Amino acid sequence: MRKMDNGPALPTAVGKLTAVEPQRQRFLTVRIIVTTFHSTRSTTDSLTSKQAIRLGLADDGGLFVSDQLGETKVSIDDLAGMSYQAIAQRVLGALLPDFTEEELAQCIAEAYGEQWADEKITPVKPLGDDYVMELFNGPTSAFKDVALQILPRFMARTAPADGDDNEKIMIVTATSGDTGKAALAGFADAAGTGITVFYPEGKVSQVQELQMTTQAGSNVNVCAVKGNFDDAQSAVKRIFGDKKLAARLAKDSHVVLSSANSINVGRLVPQVVYYFSAYAQLLEQQVINVGDEVEFVVPTGNFGDILAGYYAKLLGLPVKHLVVASDKNNVLFDFLTTGTYNRQRPFFQTISPSMDILVSSNLERMLYYMSDKDARLISMLMNDLKQWGAYEIPSGMLAKIRQIFGTGWADENQVREMIADCWNKNHYVIDPHTACGYFVMQQMPRDPLTPRVLLATASPYKFPRVVNESLGLDATGTDFACMDVLAEATGTTAPAALRGLENADVRFDNVVEVDGMEDFVEHAAKTL
Ligand SMILES: *Cc1c(COP(=O)(O)O)cnc(C)c1O
C-alpha cells in the first residue's frame, strides 16, 4: 500500500484524459494506454514504471507487473533491417510509457553504443539447421549486459520518492556469477548511485571472480559470502524487506536500496528488445516472412531471459514456443512437467553457475499472467513456497503454460559433450550455459517450418577451462592460459576485457557470513 507522491496521479483510463494538463494529455493521447505497476501479490499499488524501477521490489515481496501488458501491440510489419536501437525505441516505448521518447532515445544511445563488439548488438547467426543469437557481445561478455547497460540510465531518470533531493540509490545485488560484473560495469561511477555486489565464495569461475574484484569506480563494493547463490539472494531479499534498516539508511545516509537483479522491471524489459531484434534479423535474412512463427530455446536460471520472450509474445511477436533449458538444478523442468514447484532438493554446484538456482524469482511474473492476473492466488503460492518450500498450481493453469513453454535439462556430462558436438558439427564454440540450451534443442523434434533460435548467453571465454576440457584441449594452466589455448585451437579471439584481467589489480577481498551481509550494506551506504 505504498503511496508515492512524486508527480500527479496518473489516470488509468483514456476516458479520464480531460482532467490532465495539456502537455501530459498530448503525451497520453499518443500512447493511448497508461501503464501502471503493482505487485504480483496485491493490486493496491499504482506506480509508474519509473517508480517501479526505482523501488525494484514491492513492499510485500512481490514483483512489479502491469495489467496493461499486451494491450498495445508492437508492430512487426517493418522490422526487417531495422537497427537494434530503433527496435529498442519502439519496444521500450510500449513497455515504459512514462519515459519520454527523448529520455528513451538518450538511454538507448548511451547503453547500446561503442561498448558492444557487434553493431547488431545481439547478432543472429546460422547454427546448422537452426540459429543462434549471441547475447554476449557487451562489455562483460554475458547476456546480462543487455539489461545492465541501460538500467543505470533508466535509474538516473527517476526521481526520489519523498522529495529528498540528496537521496542516493544503493543497488544491492546477489550474483551467481554474471549479474555482478554486468551490474558493476553498468553502475560504476553513475551519479547518485552506489552498488554492492555479493557472490557465493568459491562458486564462481576464476575469470568471473576477477571480473568483479578488479572493478574500478568510487561507488562500488564487492563481497564474497559463505553460502550458495540462493542463500545470498534470500538474504538480499530480507535486506530489502527490512523496514528498520531502510529507516536507518534514509536517516543516516540519505540512501534507499534498490535491486539490479532481474526482479527489477528495468532489468527485465530491455531483454524484450532482442526477441524482436532476432525476428527482424530473420526477416532480413529471408528465413521468415512477417507473421511466421519462431521458437526460442533459452538457457534459464532466474527465469528473466525467457520471461522477456513471453513479454515479447504478449506484445504481438509470433513466438510459437519458448523452451526452458535448465542445468542439473532442474527445478523448472520438474515444475513444468508436474505443476509442483519444490525447492526442497539438493543444490548442485555445476559448470554452468549462472543457472544454479533453486528459486527462480521471475517465474512469479509468468504465473501472474498465466493465472489471469490472480494476485491472491500468487500470494498464496508464494506463501506456500516460503512456509513449506513448495507449491502446486491448478492443473488448468499448468496446461495453459505448457502450450507455450517447453522444457528440458542437461547434466554436466551432457553439457561437455554438447560443447564438443557443437564445435565438431558447426565450428562454433559455445559456453556451458548455452550448451544446456543446445542439448535441449537437439532433444526436441524439429519442425522444418518453424525456425529455432538458441540464445547464447555467455562468451565461451568466460569459462575457458571447462570449454577446453570439453574440446580435448590443454586445461592444466590458469584460466588465462586456457584462453590462449582455446583461441589458438579454434581461430577465435578472447574478448580483450577478459584476457586483460590477468594483470588487473584486485581491489576487493571481503568475505562475510550470510548474517553479515546486512552490516556490510549499512557500512557501504555510509561511504556513499
Ligand atoms: C544469468 C544467466 C543465465 C540465466 O538467465 P536468467 O535470466 O536468470 O534465466 C543463463 N546464462 C548465463 C550465462 C547467465 O549469465
Side-chain angles (χ1 to χ4, degrees):
M1 263 167 303
R2 194 194 316 274
K3 196 79 208 103
M4 307 282 298
D5 47 13
N6 55 326
L10 292 177
T12 52
V14 190
K16 293 186 193 164
L17 279 182
T18 43
V20 293
E21 80 258 31
Q23 184 75 23
R24 180 137 241 152
Q25 179 170 358
R26 184 163 51 82
F27 166 66
L28 290 177
T29 310
V30 174
R31 301 288 174 85
I32 313 223
I33 291 162
V34 180
T35 304
T36 57
F37 290 80
H38 62 77
S39 167
T40 39
R41 303 183 194 177
S42 74
T43 52
T44 39
D45 279 338
S46 181
L47 308 181
T48 64
S49 73
K50 286 187 178 179
Q51 292 167 330
I53 287 170
R54 198 166 174 100
L55 291 167
L57 193 67
D59 265 354
D60 58 10
L63 279 59
F64 289 121
V65 282
S66 157
D67 288 354
Q68 288 87 19
L69 176 63
E71 283 177 15
T72 323
K73 302 291 181 207
V74 169
S75 155
I76 58 165
D77 296 349
D78 56 349
L79 281 184
M82 200 182 265
S83 72
Y84 190 93
Q85 293 79 3
I87 297 171
Q89 182 81 36
R90 184 180 286 184
V91 173
L92 294 176
L95 289 165
L96 307 173
D98 52 307
F99 282 78
T100 66
E101 278 182 26
E102 200 188 335
E103 282 176 327
L104 285 180
Q106 287 167 352
C107 292
I108 290 165
E110 290 168 20
Y112 305 116
E114 297 290 308
Q115 68 271 53
W116 292 79
D118 193 301
E119 61 168 19
K120 286 197 155 64
I121 309 298
T122 59
V124 173
K125 300 176 175 174
L127 189 73
D129 292 331
D130 302 298
Y131 297 86
V132 60
M133 173 158 57
E134 293 180 353
L135 302 179
F136 55 73
N137 289 298
T140 78
S141 305
F143 96 93
K144 292 178 173 72
D145 285 329
V146 179
L148 282 163
Q149 281 298 301
I150 201 165
L151 178 66
R153 334 268 180 196
F154 288 157
M155 288 243 179
R157 286 158 179 90
T158 66
D162 57 4
D164 175 357
D165 287 337
N166 293 323
E167 185 181 283
K168 285 164 281 184
I169 303 174
M170 171 65 89
I171 301 295
V172 181
T173 286
T175 183
S176 55
D178 293 327
T179 301
K181 175 60 183 184
L184 288 164
F187 281 96
D189 292 326
T193 64
I195 173 161
T196 302
V197 170
F198 294 104
Y199 66 93
E201 187 189 21
K203 297 195 166 58
V204 300
S205 77
Q206 181 187 11
V207 169
Q208 284 179 315
E209 182 164 26
L210 278 174
Q211 276 190 302
M212 293 188 274
T213 56
T214 59
Q215 176 66 46
S218 61
N219 62 342
V220 302
N221 305 278
V222 176
C223 184
V225 177
K226 292 187 186 295
N228 63 36
F229 170 68
D230 278 306
D231 299 331
Q233 175 160 268
S234 300
V236 165
K237 283 185 183 169
R238 275 197 304 278
I239 289 171
F240 282 131
D242 186 336
K243 301 226 161 62
K244 284 187 192 142
L245 174 67
R248 281 203 306 278
L249 291 177
K251 187 163 151 285
D252 300 345
S253 318
H254 296 279
V255 164
V256 289
L257 300 182
S258 190
S259 159
N261 277 82
S262 58
I263 47 182
N264 192 310
V265 174
R267 220 353 250 284
L268 180 64
V269 298
Q271 298 176 177
V272 180
V273 176
Y274 52 71
Y275 285 90
F276 281 89
S277 170
Y279 201 83
Q281 292 178 64
L282 291 176
L283 283 172
E284 193 182 5
Q285 294 169 24
Q286 300 188 332
V287 176
I288 54 170
N289 294 311
V290 173
D292 289 351
E293 289 189 313
V294 177
E295 223 156 62
F296 292 94
V297 182
V298 189
T300 305
N302 221 8
F303 211 79
D305 195 357
I306 195 158
L307 181 75
Y310 178 58
Y311 276 36
K313 183 175 171 65
L314 292 177
L315 289 172
L317 194 72
V319 177
K320 188 167 184 191
H321 291 124
L322 292 160
V323 181
V324 173
S326 301
D327 66 15
K328 195 176 172 190
N329 293 291
N330 56 3
V331 62
L332 284 169
F333 173 86
D334 285 351
F335 170 66
L336 291 167
T337 44
T338 66
T340 298
Y341 193 103
N342 188 351
R343 67 167 293 184
Q344 289 179 303
R345 54 173 65 223
F347 174 85
F348 299 109
Q349 186 195 327
T350 75
I351 52 177
S352 43
S354 298
M355 292 160 63
D356 290 345
I357 285 173
L358 295 184
V359 180
S360 218
S361 302
N362 261 305
L363 185 65
E364 186 171 342
R365 284 194 168 104
M366 186 266 266
L367 296 177
Y368 177 77
Y369 290 110
M370 283 290 182
S371 67
D372 290 324
K373 304 169 186 159
D374 187 345
R376 270 197 50 169
L377 174 70
I378 304 306
S379 174
M380 278 165 46
L381 296 178
M382 293 307 136
N383 206 37
D384 285 354
L385 183 65
K386 193 169 166 197
Q387 257 193 307
W388 314 111
Y391 61 80
E392 187 180 358
I393 60 167
S395 60
M397 193 172 149
L398 178 63
K400 208 169 136 187
I401 291 170
R402 292 193 48 171
Q403 283 175 6
I404 298 173
F405 289 91
T407 182
W409 65 283
D411 68 25
E412 290 182 284
N413 287 334
Q414 289 162 335
V415 166
R416 291 174 195 272
E417 278 167 28
M418 290 302 113
I419 292 172
D421 183 84
C422 188
W423 169 251
N424 293 335
K425 287 199 183 123
N426 309 304
H427 266 235
Y428 186 81
V429 192
I430 52 177
D431 92 290
H433 303 80
T434 308
C436 293
Y438 182 85
F439 175 77
V440 172
M441 192 160 82
Q442 307 308 310
Q443 301 292 302
M444 291 161 40
R446 194 173 158 276
D447 167 5
L449 295 178
T450 312
R452 306 192 297 192
V453 182
L454 170 66
L455 272 53
T457 51
S459 161
Y461 283 96
K462 277 198 97 162
F463 307 93
R465 183 175 311 278
V466 174
V467 172
N468 283 12
E469 287 166 2
S470 306
L471 296 179
L473 302 171
D474 181 19
T476 51
T478 63
D479 275 12
F480 301 102
C482 290
M483 287 186 199
D484 294 343
V485 169
L486 181 60
E488 173 76 28
T490 60
T492 56
T493 314
L498 292 184
R499 189 63 190 80
L501 285 172
E502 186 172 20
N503 300 315
D505 292 331
V506 172
R507 297 184 61 211
F508 302 99
D509 59 0
N510 312 298
V511 186
V512 297
E513 302 284 341
V514 174
D515 285 347
M517 290 169 61
E518 181 166 326
D519 277 352
F520 188 89
V521 169
E522 196 162 0
H523 180 76
K526 292 205 170 104
T527 66
L528 254 193

